[in-house]
């Protein structure tokens, strides 16, 4: 006789915790209708399910995609399905797509079967596509090439410096290759090619100098003038030692048997100290008995060895050999700019009239080749920005042309605008309000620098001497004077406006201050005020 009570069906033991996505489902009392669900019918069970074991339904029937929360929900998904790209990775949020960057596409899942939620919608990754694709190209690649060649790097050939190059090569062959100690002092204004010419010679004569030891130091990187001795000792493989003990070890190494030592000191004027002990020691090393040192120094001052190192001329060997680099002329600057721009394929970016105008202006002020290159590069940047603001993005063609067209050439007006920013009347930058452009203390400081430069007959003065002259002028004019720290701040402000140049040192009082403008132009601009005119008229005591 059949029992009247219905048979108990197996149940799925869901975990008893609340889910943030759906409420807990009640236990099923009967098998669902096969017509309503696309699942196979529930198998008959002979008895109740044992606690702690999975039911056959949990192993055979997958749940709906919404209920797939992981293994703790008894789903039979063998692995975690990949989410959409936005949920899978948050590192791409806030990232801009730049031209030339590879598109950020989701990785292709290892299984070829589609996702239940987005079946067949995933973009497959084509194996024929390159790893890095460029989407678009904007007009202006010719400007980028022009800016690249206008950088102040060491070129393969230095124009208008053939005589200086020949002198340096001859000196190195006579002393380094001929094993004769000696010294050479190279002087010249900034941007005249001193460092570039010497670097080019060292590269060309690398095979001839292979049997010697070459040491190149920039004195601007030293914390103090005395720091040059530990730096040289480190290059020679000596242990670090300070004071007289370190000097004795260096002299003993330089006078012992061995290969010749070529010591190149750039920015040599940074080694000036009280009594010039450091410079005298360096220039006396090649004169030691049995010395194998060849010293080459570079600095801006023309009379460094005559004024600061006057005692060198009293020695039997005399002063070091001198080599001066004159400023570039208009014709030389024009040839340099045309030679650099000739390396760009296609039409020239700068007009011939613009190049000649830039060369004429720079040669009249300083003859600095680096300044001429900077002006042309800045003018190219100005035109490039104008072209980018007016040019739409165009699809990249199949093959890149080596000679890109020039959408807009750099003309005379662009060069003139940049030159007015670089060499313009910086004191009169305010237009009609010229007198209110600079504070009174900065004007007095400029007047003190002019008076001190006339008195010392030098373009560079130390901050200590400048502050002393400034304090004297303020006492005479009955004006309040600032201390040395505040004076350094005033010099930094004037440097930011392009009027002064500051070369910092370990001691603030030894920092070098120089004018970046001609003294006549600064004096003419400062004579607008009666007080400034009286300061310049009285001079220093």
């Amino acid at each position: 006789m059949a029992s009247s009570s219905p048979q108990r069906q197996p149940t799925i033991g869901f975990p008893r915790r609340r889910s943030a996505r759906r409420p807990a489902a009640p236990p099923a009392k009967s098998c669902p209708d096969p017509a309503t669900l696309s699942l196979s019918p529930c198998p008959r069970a002979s008895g109740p399910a044992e606690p702690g074991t999975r039911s056959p339904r949990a192993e055979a029937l997958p749940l709906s995609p919404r209920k797939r929360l992981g293994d703790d929900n008894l789903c039979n998904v063998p692995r975690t399905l990949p989410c959409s790209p936005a949920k899978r990775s948050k590192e791409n949020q806030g990232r801009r797509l730049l031209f030339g960057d590879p598109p950020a596409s989701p990785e292709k899942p290892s299984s070829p079967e589609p996702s239940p939620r987005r079946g067949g919608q995933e973009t497959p990754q084509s194996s024929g596509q390159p790893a890095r694709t460029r989407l678009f190209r904007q007009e202006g690649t010719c400007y980028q090439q022009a800016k690249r060649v206008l950088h102040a790097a060491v070129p393969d050939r230095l124009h208008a410096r053939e005589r200086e190059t020949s002198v340096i090569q001859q000196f190195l062959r006579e002393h380094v290759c001929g094993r004769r100690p000696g010294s050479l002092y190279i002087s010249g204004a900034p941007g005249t090619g001193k460092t570039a010419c010497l670097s080019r010679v060292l590269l060309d004569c690398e095979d001839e100098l292979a049997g010697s030891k070459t040491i190149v130091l920039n004195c601007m990187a030293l914390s103090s003038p005395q720091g040059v001795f530990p730096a040289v000792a480190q290059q020679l493989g000596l242990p670090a030692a300070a004071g007289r003990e370190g000097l004795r070890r260096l002299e003993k190494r330089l006078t012992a048997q061995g290969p010749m030592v070529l010591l190149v000191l750039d920015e040599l004027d940074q080694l000036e100290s009280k009594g010039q002990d450091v410079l005298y020691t360096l220039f006396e090393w090649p004169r030691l008995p049995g010395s194998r040192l060849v010293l080459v120094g570079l600095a801006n001052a023309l009379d460094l060895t005559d004024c600061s190192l006057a005692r060198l001329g009293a020695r039997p060997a005399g002063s070091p050999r001198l080599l001066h680099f004159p400023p570039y002329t208009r014709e030389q600057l024009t040839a340099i700019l045309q030679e650099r721009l000739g390396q760009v394929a296609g039409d020239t970016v700068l007009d011939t009239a613009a190049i000649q105008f830039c060369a004429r202006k720079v040669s009249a002020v300083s003859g600095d080749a680096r300044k001429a290159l900077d002006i042309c590069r800045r003018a190219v940047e100005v035109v490039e920005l104008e072209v980018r603001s007016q040019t739409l993005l165009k699809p990249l063609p199949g093959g890149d042309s080596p000679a890109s067209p020039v959408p807009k050439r750099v003309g005379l007006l662009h060069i003139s605008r940049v030159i007015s920013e670089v060499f313009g009347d910086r004191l009169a930058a305010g237009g009609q309000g010229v007198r209110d452009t600079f504070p009174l203390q900065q004007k007095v400081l400029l007047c003190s620098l002019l008076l001190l430069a006339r008195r010392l007959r030098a373009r560079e003065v130390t901050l200590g001497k400048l502050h002393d002259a400034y304090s004297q002028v303020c006492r005479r004019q009955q004006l309040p004077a600032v201390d040395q720290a505040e004076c350094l701040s005033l010099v930094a402000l004037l440097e930011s406006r392009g009027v002064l140049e500051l070369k910092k040192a370990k001691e603030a009082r030894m920092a070098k201050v120089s004018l970046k403008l001609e003294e006549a132009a600064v004096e003419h601009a400062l004579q607008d005020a009666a007080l400034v005119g009286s300061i310049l008229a009285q001079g220093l005591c």
Side-chain angles (χ1 to χ4, degrees):
M1 180 177 178
S3 175
S4 60
S5 60
Q7 286 185 339
R8 298 181 61 182
Q9 299 292 333
T11 59
I12 299 177
F14 287 94
R16 293 183 174 276
R17 64 177 182 181
R18 300 185 61 182
S19 174
R21 303 183 61 175
R22 63 178 183 84
K29 294 183 179 180
S30 61
C31 180
D33 189 4
T36 58
L37 293 178
S38 59
L39 301 177
S40 59
C42 301
R44 293 285 181 177
S46 59
E50 298 179 1
T53 60
R54 289 191 178 185
S55 69
R57 172 176 181 160
E59 298 178 356
L61 300 180
L63 300 179
S64 62
R66 185 177 180 183
K67 298 179 183 179
R68 289 178 178 172
L69 302 179
D71 294 336
D72 55 351
N73 202 13
L74 302 180
C75 74
N76 59 348
V77 181
R79 60 178 178 84
T80 304
L81 294 179
C83 300
S84 60
K87 297 178 183 178
R88 181 173 58 87
S89 175
K90 295 184 179 180
E91 61 183 1
N92 293 331
Q93 295 183 2
R95 178 183 175 189
R96 296 182 303 168
L97 179 61
L98 303 179
F99 298 106
D101 290 347
S105 60
E107 297 181 358
K108 184 178 179 181
S110 58
S111 176
E113 57 188 23
S115 172
R117 294 187 62 182
R118 309 176 70 146
Q121 295 184 5
E122 295 186 4
T123 303
Q125 183 177 359
S126 176
S127 59
Q129 293 289 338
R132 187 177 182 88
T133 58
R134 295 173 56 195
L135 300 179
F136 296 96
R137 181 188 66 189
Q138 198 169 19
E139 298 291 347
T141 54
C142 56
Y143 301 124
Q144 299 175 5
Q145 297 176 8
K147 289 188 298 182
R148 190 181 305 112
V149 300
L150 288 174
H151 275 287
V154 179
D156 296 334
R157 187 180 72 88
L158 287 169
H159 187 77
R161 288 293 179 255
E162 291 79 11
R163 184 188 68 85
E164 291 79 4
T165 302
S166 176
V167 172
I168 297 176
Q169 289 178 350
Q170 182 182 0
F171 175 82
L172 294 180
R173 290 192 179 104
E174 290 179 358
H175 291 79
V176 179
C177 301
R179 298 189 63 84
R180 291 174 48 195
S183 57
L184 172 66
Y185 175 67
I186 302 175
S187 62
T192 53
K194 304 183 299 297
T195 306
C197 187
L198 181 58
S199 301
R200 186 74 262 169
V201 171
L202 293 178
L203 290 176
D204 295 341
C205 301
E206 186 176 1
D207 296 337
E208 302 180 25
L209 302 176
S212 61
K213 173 68 175 179
T214 303
I215 302 174
V216 180
L217 296 178
N218 192 330
C219 300
M220 288 288 293
L222 302 176
S223 58
S224 64
Q226 290 75 16
V228 66
F229 301 122
V232 175
Q234 182 181 3
Q235 294 291 332
L236 293 177
L238 294 177
R244 297 184 180 273
E245 181 65 25
L247 288 178
R248 282 195 296 267
R249 291 182 181 179
L250 276 175
E251 294 178 358
K252 185 177 180 181
R253 174 62 66 89
L254 294 175
T255 54
Q257 294 293 330
M260 296 296 293
V261 178
L262 175 60
L263 178 59
V264 179
L265 298 177
D266 199 1
E267 304 292 343
L268 186 65
D269 51 355
Q270 298 297 317
L271 300 181
E272 291 183 327
S273 58
K274 187 177 181 179
Q276 307 296 350
D277 297 336
V278 177
L279 290 177
Y280 275 120
T281 303
L282 290 173
F283 279 100
E284 286 175 355
W285 276 351
R287 304 176 182 180
L288 295 176
S291 176
R292 50 189 178 92
L293 175 67
V294 178
L295 176 63
V296 179
L298 299 89
N300 300 331
L302 177 62
D303 54 352
L304 177 66
T305 56
D306 297 336
C307 297
S308 301
L309 304 176
R311 289 186 300 177
L312 292 177
R315 300 297 178 89
S319 299
R321 188 173 179 179
L322 303 180
L323 177 61
H324 179 64
F325 279 65
Y328 285 103
T329 62
R330 176 176 60 87
E331 293 79 8
Q332 293 172 350
L333 290 176
T334 303
I336 291 174
L337 294 176
Q338 290 178 349
E339 183 181 5
R340 291 290 186 98
L341 293 173
Q343 303 176 12
V344 181
D347 299 335
T348 58
V349 180
L350 275 78
D351 290 334
T352 305
I355 295 176
Q356 295 179 355
F357 179 72
C358 176
R360 184 169 62 252
K361 286 294 184 180
V362 174
S363 62
V365 176
S366 61
D368 190 342
R370 291 179 300 186
K371 189 67 67 176
L373 294 174
D374 292 342
I375 290 175
C376 293
R377 186 170 64 252
R378 173 59 183 156
V380 172
E381 292 176 355
V382 171
V383 176
E384 184 182 16
L385 291 177
E386 294 179 358
V387 172
R388 284 187 175 183
S389 62
Q390 300 174 3
T391 307
L392 298 177
L393 294 178
K394 297 182 180 181
L396 181 66
D400 289 341
S401 175
S404 301
V406 181
K408 186 176 182 180
R409 297 165 67 91
V410 179
L412 191 64
L413 294 179
H414 302 97
I415 296 292
S416 178
R417 186 192 313 169
V418 176
I419 288 179
S420 63
E421 297 175 359
V422 178
F423 294 114
D425 192 359
R426 298 175 178 89
L427 298 180
Q432 297 180 355
V434 176
R435 298 186 180 183
D436 299 331
T437 304
F438 276 57
L440 177 61
Q441 294 290 343
Q442 296 184 13
K443 291 184 178 181
V444 174
L445 186 63
L446 282 175
C447 293
S448 305
L449 180 57
L450 285 175
L451 296 176
L452 190 60
R454 291 178 185 175
R455 183 177 180 179
L456 299 178
R457 296 181 181 179
R459 292 186 60 89
E460 288 186 351
V461 298
T462 60
L463 182 64
K465 294 181 179 180
L466 177 59
H467 182 260
D468 295 341
Y470 161 79
S471 303
Q472 181 181 350
V473 171
C474 289
R475 285 194 302 268
R476 184 184 304 171
Q477 299 293 331
Q478 297 182 357
L479 295 174
V482 299
D483 56 0
Q484 184 172 320
E486 187 66 23
C487 181
L488 181 60
S489 302
L490 293 178
V491 172
L493 291 175
L494 291 172
E495 183 189 22
S496 63
R497 303 191 66 166
V499 181
L500 300 182
E501 181 179 2
L502 177 63
K503 295 181 180 179
K504 297 183 179 180
K506 185 177 182 180
E507 298 180 3
R509 189 174 180 84
M510 299 302 298
K512 301 295 184 63
V513 183
S514 61
L515 282 172
K516 297 182 68 174
L517 300 177
E518 294 296 330
E519 295 182 6
V522 178
E523 182 180 354
H524 176 73
L526 292 179
Q527 282 180 350
D528 295 337
L531 178 63
V532 174
S534 63
I535 293 175
L536 295 177
Q538 293 179 6
L540 293 175
C541 296

